[in-house]
Amino acid sequence: MRKLLRHALPVLLLLLALPARGSLTEIASELAASGLDSPIFATAPDGDPRLFILEREGRIRILSGGAVLPTPFLDITDRVLSGGEWGFLGLAFDPDYASHGRFFVYYTDLAGDSVLSRFTVSGDPDVADPVETVLLTIPQPDTNHNGGTVAFGADGFLYLAPGDGGGSFDPDERSQDPGDLLGKMLRIDVATPPAAGSVAVPPAVGDYAIPADNPLVGVGGAREEIWAFGLRNPYRFSFDRQTGDLWIADVGQNAREEVSFEPAGDPGGRNYGWDVMEGTSCVAVDPAPAPPCLDPSLVLPVHEYSHSGGNCSVTGGFVHRGGVPGIQGHYLFGDFCTGRVWSLDPDGAGITERTAQLGAAGGAGFQLVGFGEDGDGGTYVVLSGGSVYRIVQPPPECGDGVDNDGDGDVDTDDPGCFDADWPEEDPECQNGLD
């Protein structure tokens, strides 16, 4: 299924550079939650019917039974510095959360540094114990490029990507420096006890262990937490819950936004190119890059797009594994500045723009801060204005090729199908009955 991505990258890059096209399979959205305070991300433990929504100021809210519970699951606003690219950015539930209730958060502390911490649920399943165990603190030299995602891979290890530390074109060359955690994808063991072969770091470094098969284990001068190099600001990355494949949306400098792909089972050590390259383009301000531009050791993105038309910053999402057939197995992502949303079909059908199909969830400029995934693989769109939308299959009459309501328009050309206030074509208005 993934042979195209693994073995025909040049062909795929050409294919994905083509203009966005329409699709015979449509999607829609419905409002799942509103009235939130700067939501930024949403997730849930596997199989859990609730949705846990992060608010940037430092709270986790629970959507349960169609309503947001009044009491936050967790409130650490007293420890979080919020604003710009700072804030409460990431949440990951332990794969064995149902047994021991552990979960992990990633946030900006009051000093402006990035913190990875562990919490545990209390005796009330809708309220967490506020006692925090800090596992890792990463000094951030600037106010931007802090990354934001923490996620468990199929291997049971925790992945995080703290960004390159800010500044134009990575001025301190951190992304290519094996002795620096910034600009990398990290892979650590947070289990208790650690997996066989993992080695705990000294207490002065943190409270976690290094997996035995990390690519830089035993390399002198290197940080053994590193899984991959050459990332600028991978604000959102995610694992396909069915295949284990890794998708990385890396925010560009001033020209290109990129999506990279890493197949499940990869041994690690990939170099995604920053700041030698921005997408598939050479970075001209780096006069003596090492490795050189277009070196075979650099891994090119599977998709990139320019800043034309107002685009500016990629917001990564998830591979949809929920109940919407039209996007089953497709990677969903969007752009922060325009609010446009696309789906990428890994099996070779290319890119499809979904913005108009999503109604109020699409095209929200400067609000598309994140996507979400529930415990059953359903996909959500998170808007900073306070709303979370669930991506759903549209009503049948919106994809049947028939002008059901007699207005002269059919399906996606019919405003009645994807209107923000009434997202369906309404045949009963033209059926001659009271």
Side-chain angles (χ1 to χ4, degrees), residues 239-261:
F239 290 95
D240 183 335
R241 65 193 292 129
Q242 180 171 305
T243 67
D245 296 333
L246 173 61
W247 294 85
I248 307 169
D250 198 8
V251 179
Q253 178 71 44
N254 54 17
R256 313 297 292 176
E257 302 301 307
E258 61 188 271
V259 175
S260 294
F261 172 84

Side-chain angles (χ1 to χ4, degrees), residues 43-48 52 73 90-105 116-121 135 150-159 188-195 241 375:
T43 187
D46 284 348
D48 197 307
F52 294 74
F73 178 66
L91 167 64
F93 289 94
D94 192 285
D96 200 20
Y97 178 79
S99 297
H100 51 56
R102 288 196 293 263
F103 62 96
F104 300 82
V105 304
L116 173 70
S117 288
R118 182 181 67 235
F119 288 87
T120 306
V121 70
L135 305 183
V150 286
F152 281 93
D155 53 18
F157 297 124
L158 188 67
Y159 292 69
I188 60 176
D189 187 343
V190 295
T192 306
R241 65 193 292 129

Side-chain angles (χ1 to χ4, degrees), residues 314-406:
V314 64
T315 301
F318 294 87
V319 173
H320 181 77
R321 296 297 179 183
V324 184
I327 53 171
Q328 187 63 218
H330 292 199
Y331 175 68
L332 276 292
F333 67 100
D335 185 83
F336 170 69
C337 289
T338 61
R340 296 171 70 186
V341 176
W342 299 272
S343 65
L344 185 159
D345 180 2
D347 289 327
I351 301 290
T352 301
E353 182 163 0
R354 303 288 185 171
T355 310
Q357 299 174 17
L358 292 175
F366 301 97
Q367 290 194 56
L368 180 58
V369 290
F371 289 81
E373 183 182 51
D374 64 27
D376 294 320
T379 308
Y380 297 74
V381 177
V382 181
L383 303 181
S384 62
S387 301
V388 176
Y389 288 85
R390 181 184 297 109
I391 296 180
V392 297
Q393 186 174 5
E397 58 267 25
C398 282
D400 61 2
V402 177
D403 178 15
N404 293 288
D405 55 4

Side-chain angles (χ1 to χ4, degrees), residues 92-163:
F93 289 94
D94 192 285
D96 200 20
Y97 178 79
S99 297
H100 51 56
R102 288 196 293 263
F103 62 96
F104 300 82
V105 304
Y106 180 79
Y107 66 90
T108 309
D109 68 11
L110 299 181
D113 296 327
S114 294
V115 174
L116 173 70
S117 288
R118 182 181 67 235
F119 288 87
T120 306
V121 70
S122 72
D124 181 345
D126 291 333
V127 179
D129 185 334
V131 176
E132 172 184 22
T133 300
V134 174
L135 305 183
L136 172 65
T137 299
I138 302 175
Q140 290 283 359
D142 213 326
T143 61
N144 56 354
H145 306 179
N146 300 320
T149 303
V150 286
F152 281 93
D155 53 18
F157 297 124
L158 188 67
Y159 292 69
L160 64 153

Side-chain angles (χ1 to χ4, degrees), residues 31-34 49 62-69 390:
L31 184 65
S34 61
I62 294 179
L63 175 65
S64 180
V68 176
L69 302 185
R390 181 184 297 109

